[in-house]
Amino acid sequence: MLEISGLVKRYPSGPQALRGVDLTVKTGELVALIGTSGAGKSTLVRCINRLVEPTEGKIRLDGTELTALDHRELRHARRNMGMIFQEYALVDRLSVMENVLSGRLGYVGVWKSAMRRFPPEDVRRALELLERVGLREYVDTRADQLSGGQRQRVGIARALEQQPALLLVDEPTSSLDPKTARQIMRLIVELVKERGLSMLINIHDVNLATMFTERIVGLQDGKIVFEGTPEELNEEALTKIYGEEDWHAESRSAQAETADNGNGEKSDEHVPLNTAEPGR
Amino acid sequence: MSDHVNAEQLWSKPPVIENRWLRWGITLVVLVYAFFAIRSFEIDIPRIIIGLDRGYDMLLAFLRPDFVARQTHIVRGVLESVAMTATATLLGGILSIPLSFGAARNLSPLPVYLVCRSILMIVRSLHVVVLAILFVVMVGFGPFAGAVTLGFNSIGFLGKLLAEDIENTNEESMEAVRATGGSWLQVVIYAVWPQVVTRFIGLSIYRLDINFRQSTVIGLVGAGGIGAVLDTAMGRYDYNTAAAILIVIIAIVLAGEYVSSSIRRRLT
Amino acid sequence: MPVVQKDGVSNWIRRDPKDSMRNYLKWLGGAIVVLIAARYIGAQTIWGFVLDAPAQAADFVSRSVPPDITYFRRVLPALWDTVNIAVFGTAGAVVVAIPTALLAARNTTPHSSLRALALTIIVVSRSVNSLIWALLIVQVVGPGLFAGVLAIGIRSVGMISKLMYESIEEINREPIEAISATGAGRTQVFLYGYVPQLLPVFVGVTVYRWEVNIRESTIIGIVGGGGVGFLLNSAINRLAWDQALVVLIAILATVVLAESISAKVRAAVT
């Protein structure tokens, strides 16, 4: 369980990114963060694994106080948190396999990782994950030779190779075309549910958020202004999060999409399309 | 241990060079080369030990540079370098323009293009110090040889880069001028020149910077400038003065780099 | 304002008077500087020699053909030394340049004072031409190959580490964040995040510098740094133009070959 309380982040130059955020993600729960760009979504996600150092507040993951850890302890804690990035954040010149295996770096010694000698169970898991995301035949392909969707699949495999308890996802689809975006979201949600992980996903696409997650948190100017189920995200709530605008189409299509299972989409890569039922 | 074997059966990093023979062949060639190369080094240890004393003197001298004793020479050397730099850049800049038009395939007929290109190639392939030696023999010691050397060297540099820029200009605007009935010269003045002039000025300023750097070395072979003063100081084992000259050179090179890059940044 | 009103009629001129004045002054200033410089140089020139130059040049050319092919027997060993100077100078420089670059880059330096030190090394090393370095070093270690290697190496440290540290500062931050987010240690972040991104750049920079060093090592012999430059200088001093031409041809061939190797390798690593 992830518990955040009174989280504040002030950047040395510039405005206050977070002004006291309280948020809980229960084990096995999928929570979406929505809000305008600059609302602090990305900062919030990065404060949890301390890629961004929080200024004030507490973050507890399964009882561990993350904000109090020293460098070594933080590394240990980070092994429990997988992260998926907007621009995929692959190391371009490493192969797909090396990128996926880099998810195990927290567990493998420096020398062995330098020689690319990972324990067999890590390699086996990596191969399984690559099979699962449909990239089994790209094992030794360099990451920069893949398409955007494929690259994000490698990013997903890397995050799950860590065998985390919590998955932090930062705008996983905003560099992708709408169709690939859905496939990627579906894949992430499936994998998370299979493994019973918790997930905090920061996403600007309201439709995708309502389709795939159980709880939606609206962030505006560093503060939480909405918390509820996808059904509760009505025009009034959207206005609170994003400001005055005609939200009629958005909220109606959101409801329509909740019922849509994405049929009629033929994927260019083999992605399992079976259990795409969005949770509620 | 058996764990590793197991893991490698699953996956191991493919080698950079796939072909095993090629891989070992390259390694072997490198080793053989290194062996013979190192053997041909004749490091004269006793000579170096004697030299270390002098190295120590030199180090001490660098902590106490002497700007005063040969002040007039240093000042004159710097002025000479500056004078060489200024004239050479102007000379090189002016002469490089017609050559670069000739060396641009989209402006010139093939014979002209080939002649201009080969002139540029020959000039570029000669190292500035080799050029300096040749010109010193031809016109005598002193800054004149230096200015001519730097000017020649600038022609090669500016001519080639400008020719490439001209070849990259927008074909359409040239066609537009041609379509109005413009002559070759009008095409150059109205369509080509406006597109490359900023780049040309930028390159010239960059070249000014390079010319100053080079003016510090060609003095070693008699082509004037601060390098000649340094050569004299080293010849007299006057390390304090040599240190002062080096500091002056470093300071001016840095200042030149700073000024040139800030002007070029403003141009674009 | 290029459009002007005169007697109620709009007219177009390229520059208004103020602009045109400023432009004129700029050129005038430049012209005056160059004129003074030219006079200064002219005052120190023996014009008799200069007027004689075309005749001299014609004389060189006539004396240099046919080139003295037998001189290749002396040129080839010197060329081997020249190549060695460039290879070992570059290799030694890289060994020093990598740590220097890591200290000089804002995002990898452990401390700002170390950064200042590294930047000073870089500036001093690259502001002084390798020929000048050779002049200093020859007095310490004596003339020869070793002096040449040191001179080329010392100069290259600054040149290489400048390009390297700039590339370190421009590195893509996201993959590095991602590697740190997996719980990797500092060394592992370096190995998996930095090294793969930097390696091709470093190889490219090194090979490029090697190419430049081949050029420089052809002339470093002029001040006693070993290699083919010594032969060139002595041939010219003896006015043996047929031998000088052989050396020049050898230099040209080496440089062209080095250029093409360098271009191929750099194309392969990117």
Side-chain angles (χ1 to χ4, degrees):
Chain A
M1 188 158 85
L2 176 75
E3 298 155 280
I4 300 171
S5 59
L7 187 65
V8 172
K9 173 64 191 177
R10 241 178 261 112
Y11 285 105
S13 59
Q16 204 166 331
L18 297 174
R19 319 162 174 264
V21 172
D22 302 295
L23 179 66
T24 306
V25 181
K26 295 195 209 79
T27 306
E29 195 181 22
L30 278 62
V31 176
L33 276 174
I34 60 171
T36 54
S37 45
K41 307 190 300 280
S42 204
T43 306
L44 176 53
V45 168
R46 274 151 210 264
C47 276
I48 295 167
N49 61 3
R50 281 174 56 192
L51 285 177
V52 169
E53 285 293 336
T55 316
E56 280 169 38
K58 292 197 181 325
I59 305 171
R60 295 165 73 84
L61 178 64
D62 299 328
T64 314
E65 174 58 58
L66 295 177
T67 45
L69 303 179
D70 66 22
H71 184 75
R72 247 183 82 84
E73 295 164 333
L74 174 63
R75 277 178 44 209
H76 275 264
R78 277 178 174 171
R79 305 194 301 199
N80 274 325
M81 296 179 275
M83 187 158 179
I84 297 172
F85 292 79
Q86 175 176 0
E87 302 281 349
Y88 331 123
L90 301 184
V91 184
D92 277 344
R93 284 170 189 278
L94 293 182
S95 67
V96 166
M97 189 53 151
E98 287 171 294
N99 268 294
V100 175
L101 283 174
S102 68
R104 296 306 290 177
L105 286 176
Y107 294 91
V108 180
V110 171
W111 177 248
K112 284 196 175 170
S113 60
M115 301 309 293
R116 310 294 194 259
R117 282 203 194 149
F118 287 82
E121 64 270 20
D122 288 356
V123 178
R124 207 167 292 132
R125 190 183 319 104
L127 288 170
E128 277 163 23
L129 278 165
L130 284 174
E131 180 85 54
R132 184 72 170 79
V133 300
L135 291 175
R136 181 63 172 79
E137 61 268 47
Y138 293 96
V139 170
D140 286 323
T141 309
R142 241 165 66 168
D144 55 2
Q145 279 161 4
L146 302 178
S147 70
Q150 290 173 324
R151 286 158 69 81
Q152 192 56 290
R153 283 157 205 267
V154 177
I156 294 167
R158 173 175 64 191
L160 291 169
E161 175 76 6
Q162 267 179 260
Q163 296 194 292
L166 168 69
L167 201 61
L168 301 170
V169 189
D170 184 23
E171 298 278 8
T173 60
S174 52
S175 309
L176 301 170
D177 66 79
K179 192 174 122 187
T180 316
R182 280 195 187 194
Q183 292 170 350
I184 290 290
M185 273 304 288
R186 192 168 297 130
L187 181 65
I188 293 175
V189 167
E190 270 175 38
L191 287 163
V192 165
K193 287 194 168 168
E194 279 169 18
R195 287 161 172 72
L197 312 181
S198 334
M199 173 168 90
L200 181 62
I201 177 168
N202 146 22
I203 189 162
H204 72 272
D205 186 326
V206 177
N207 292 339
L208 285 177
T210 52
M211 271 170 80
F212 288 107
T213 60
E214 299 146 354
R215 197 145 68 85
I216 297 200
V217 172
L219 212 56
Q220 207 254 320
D221 197 19
K223 271 197 262 186
I224 291 179
V225 292
F226 170 84
E227 235 185 307
T229 62
E231 287 75 26
E232 288 165 1
L233 187 69
N234 50 21
E235 282 178 51
E236 193 193 338
L238 284 167
T239 305
K240 242 196 283 176
I241 301 166
Y242 291 98
E244 207 64 59
E245 192 59 62
D246 179 12
W247 294 114
H248 191 62
E250 279 289 324
S251 62
R252 192 183 53 197
S253 77
Q255 269 142 31
E257 300 244 10
T258 347
D260 174 28
N261 262 5
N263 48 348
E265 287 175 18
K266 203 178 160 293
S267 57
D268 50 343
E269 301 127 25
H270 7 261
V271 194
L273 290 174
N274 38 6
T275 54
E277 179 63 15
R280 40 202 68 163
Chain B
M1 273 296 132
S2 64
D3 272 8
H4 293 152
V5 178
N6 208 347
E8 268 155 13
Q9 280 166 352
L10 278 170
W11 176 81
S12 65
K13 190 178 162 61
V16 183
I17 302 166
E18 290 280 1
N19 185 323
R20 188 189 305 170
W21 293 106
L22 189 63
R23 197 160 71 231
W24 289 110
I26 290 177
T27 316
L28 191 72
V29 166
V30 168
L31 286 178
V32 168
Y33 166 75
F35 175 74
F36 282 105
I38 289 169
R39 256 179 47 148
S40 68
F41 276 80
E42 287 156 0
I43 298 180
D44 186 354
I45 304 282
R47 171 68 185 80
I48 291 173
I49 290 170
I50 298 168
L52 281 181
D53 270 354
R54 204 179 271 169
Y56 183 67
D57 288 348
M58 213 184 269
L59 207 66
L60 284 184
F62 272 82
L63 297 175
R64 284 179 286 110
D66 181 359
F67 292 90
V68 186
R70 306 192 36 94
Q71 195 182 14
T72 48
H73 291 263
I74 298 177
V75 171
R76 202 193 304 149
V78 169
L79 285 179
E80 227 170 77
S81 275
V82 171
M84 276 155 51
T85 306
T87 36
T89 311
L90 186 77
L91 195 80
I94 291 172
L95 290 178
S96 69
I97 294 173
L99 265 174
S100 67
F101 283 122
R105 191 67 199 95
N106 53 350
L107 283 182
S108 303
L110 192 62
V112 178
Y113 168 79
L114 287 178
V115 169
C116 291
R117 277 277 155 167
S118 19
I119 293 175
L120 288 178
M121 211 199 80
I122 291 169
V123 172
R124 277 177 60 77
S125 66
L126 289 172
H127 194 284
V128 68
V129 174
V130 175
L131 269 181
I133 294 176
L134 293 177
F135 280 115
V136 166
V137 179
M138 267 193 255
V139 304
F141 289 102
F144 186 80
V148 177
T149 302
L150 295 177
F152 244 76
N153 209 237
S154 309
I155 291 176
F157 175 88
L158 292 173
K160 176 168 182 260
L161 293 178
L162 191 59
E164 274 163 14
D165 280 340
I166 293 171
E167 285 178 347
N168 288 333
T169 51
N170 187 353
E171 193 69 28
E172 250 182 16
S173 46
M174 286 169 64
E175 273 168 3
V177 177
R178 253 185 231 124
T180 64
S183 66
W184 185 86
L185 200 62
Q186 282 171 322
V187 169
V188 167
I189 292 171
Y190 277 86
V192 179
W193 189 242
Q195 291 189 56
V196 297
V197 64
T198 333
R199 262 285 283 183
F200 176 68
I201 293 174
L203 285 174
S204 306
I205 289 166
Y206 182 43
R207 186 64 217 185
L208 202 65
D209 182 16
I210 299 177
N211 276 346
F212 184 80
R213 285 158 189 265
Q214 307 221 344
S215 78
T216 63
V217 272
I218 55 179
L220 301 187
V221 293
I226 186 78
V229 186
L230 179 67
D231 196 30
T232 318
M234 289 301 291
R236 302 160 148 226
Y237 304 109
D238 180 2
Y239 296 139
N240 299 74
T241 300
I245 296 172
L246 277 182
I247 291 170
V248 168
I249 290 178
I250 293 173
I252 299 182
V253 165
L254 274 185
E257 188 172 283
Y258 178 76
V259 171
S260 123
S261 71
S262 60
I263 292 179
R264 277 182 291 145
R265 214 173 302 132
R266 256 194 14 212
L267 276 177
T268 43
Chain C
M1 271 175 286
V3 177
V4 289
Q5 301 280 337
K6 197 179 178 189
D7 309 330
V9 186
S10 296
N11 196 9
W12 180 86
I13 50 169
R14 190 150 173 234
R15 292 195 174 93
D16 69 10
K18 218 169 109 193
D19 235 18
S20 127
M21 191 66 187
R22 201 177 298 139
N23 199 46
Y24 171 73
L25 284 178
K26 240 192 282 179
W27 284 105
L28 187 71
I32 289 173
V33 168
V34 174
L35 269 177
I36 294 174
R39 263 197 64 91
Y40 186 85
I41 293 171
Q44 298 179 55
T45 307
I46 301 163
W47 291 101
F49 285 165
V50 176
L51 293 176
D52 197 29
Q56 285 262 9
D59 184 43
F60 300 163
V61 173
S62 68
R63 280 212 234 171
S64 62
V65 281
D68 179 6
I69 306 287
T70 55
Y71 202 55
F72 266 116
R73 236 179 285 152
R74 291 216 50 197
V75 171
L76 285 179
L79 219 49
W80 163 254
D81 284 350
T82 297
V83 173
N84 289 342
I85 290 173
V87 170
F88 284 84
T90 312
V94 168
V95 173
V96 183
I98 290 176
T100 312
L102 289 172
L103 293 182
R106 240 182 235 106
N107 46 345
T108 50
T109 191
H111 197 265
S112 59
S113 61
L114 285 172
R115 175 162 196 264
L117 178 71
L119 288 177
T120 313
I121 292 175
I122 292 173
V123 160
V124 171
S125 149
R126 65 187 207 89
S127 304
V128 177
N129 194 289
S130 48
L131 225 60
I132 295 179
W133 280 122
L135 194 70
L136 303 183
I137 289 162
V138 163
Q139 298 215 342
V140 177
V141 303
L145 215 55
F146 188 54
V149 171
L150 283 181
I152 294 279
I154 289 177
R155 157 95 155 165
S156 303
V157 166
M159 289 299 201
I160 296 176
S161 29
K162 176 167 188 269
L163 294 176
M164 281 183 177
Y165 95 77
E166 283 170 353
S167 73
I168 298 175
E169 286 184 349
E170 282 161 18
I171 203 166
N172 185 359
R173 296 290 312 160
E174 242 204 347
I176 289 162
E177 274 196 330
I179 300 287
S180 342
T182 65
R186 230 172 251 155
T187 321
Q188 288 173 323
V189 172
F190 184 72
L191 285 174
Y192 274 73
Y194 284 88
V195 173
Q197 287 194 57
L198 296 176
L199 201 60
V201 184
F202 281 16
V203 172
V205 166
T206 305
V207 173
Y208 173 68
R209 191 62 215 176
W210 171 79
E211 177 199 325
V212 176
N213 282 345
I214 286 275
R215 286 167 206 272
E216 305 240 295
S217 61
T218 57
I219 49 123
I220 202 127
I222 292 169
V223 291
V228 77
F230 171 73
L231 293 182
L232 180 67
N233 205 23
S234 80
I236 292 176
N237 285 340
R238 285 180 286 117
L239 298 177
W241 289 98
D242 49 350
Q243 294 181 351
L245 185 63
V246 170
V247 181
L248 281 178
I249 291 171
I251 289 177
L252 192 66
T254 316
V255 167
V256 168
L257 188 68
E259 240 171 56
S260 78
I261 292 174
S262 153
K264 281 218 182 78
V265 174
R266 280 185 289 149
V269 291
T270 43

